[in-house]
Amino acid sequence: AGSVIGDCLNIAILLHTAAYLLAVGGHHYNFINVLSPAVAQDGFCVSNKEQSVYMQSHALCLYGDTVFTVLLFLIVKMDRSDQAAPAVAMIRPQLFAIFFHGCAHMFVGHKFENATPEWMALSPYARQTTAQGRILYCAFLCCFWFGFMKSFHGLAFHTFFFTMAYGVVHFFCVP
């Protein structure tokens, strides 16, 4: 019964992902108009856009992710009981990903602070004008994806494969 529920959830996630990609891609290529102007311009909703980058939702994400990473870290360190071992084993690999997610949002907030809609429509590869900038940005994206992949797959070939797959596709294809 557990594997059937897991399979159903995976199918639902795949269908949701496909629908999201169709909506974003269709909007980008003017096949459909389903995104709000804010989401179409920024890729997602950015709150407090008229204020300092340190008060926008990108920075708030960093603040929240940092607080929860520290909180989860303390919980993991404080409870070393046998009863908590399964939960700790699940939480510990997620800590890096949670914190790096917030760092990535702060990076995006700074990087896109004065971005034009035309610049936002470019892939990260096209946005970079130097080889050094392209290498650094691709490495940043791979580090971002590594944090998530490591938490699912541990340190294995799967981690490297999915990190590179997501990082490279993100770098070359995602506006």
Side-chain angles (χ1 to χ4, degrees):
S3 64
V4 172
I5 293 171
D7 289 345
C8 290
L9 288 174
N10 283 329
I11 290 169
I13 290 168
L14 289 172
L15 290 173
H16 177 264
T17 302
Y20 176 78
L21 290 173
L22 288 172
V24 171
H27 188 92
H28 179 73
Y29 292 108
N30 296 318
F31 294 132
I32 55 175
N33 185 9
V34 294
L35 303 178
S36 71
V39 172
Q41 179 180 347
D42 297 322
F44 38 76
C45 185
V46 178
S47 65
N48 306 326
K49 200 170 177 179
E50 66 286 346
Q51 296 180 17
S52 162
V53 70
Y54 299 103
M55 293 305 296
Q56 293 176 6
S57 55
H58 289 300
L60 299 176
C61 186
L62 171 64
Y63 308 150
D65 284 353
T66 301
V67 167
F68 281 105
T69 300
V70 169
L71 178 65
L72 288 170
F73 176 79
L74 292 174
I75 290 170
V76 164
K77 287 297 180 189
M78 289 171 56
D79 192 351
R80 296 179 184 231
S81 67
D82 290 339
Q83 295 90 352
V88 167
M90 186 180 294
I91 293 171
R92 183 177 285 129
Q94 304 287 337
L95 295 176
F96 175 77
I98 294 168
F99 178 69
F100 199 75
H101 173 262
C103 292
H105 267 282
M106 195 65 197
F107 174 78
V108 167
H110 279 291
K111 185 88 174 157
F112 298 170
E113 198 168 2
N114 299 313
T116 64
E118 295 78 23
W119 187 82
M120 291 292 290
L122 300 173
S123 71
Y125 173 83
R127 290 179 190 148
Q128 304 304 310
T129 57
T130 66
Q132 179 184 11
R134 288 179 173 153
I135 290 168
L136 289 173
Y137 204 110
C138 189
F140 170 79
L141 289 174
C142 286
C143 286
F144 174 80
W145 285 110
F146 173 77
F148 289 108
M149 295 303 117
K150 183 177 89 51
S151 64
F152 295 123
H153 301 290
L155 294 175
F157 175 75
H158 289 99
T159 305
F160 176 75
F161 176 79
F162 284 111
T163 293
M164 295 309 294
Y166 282 100
V168 169
V169 168
H170 192 162
F171 183 66
F172 286 105
C173 302
V174 178

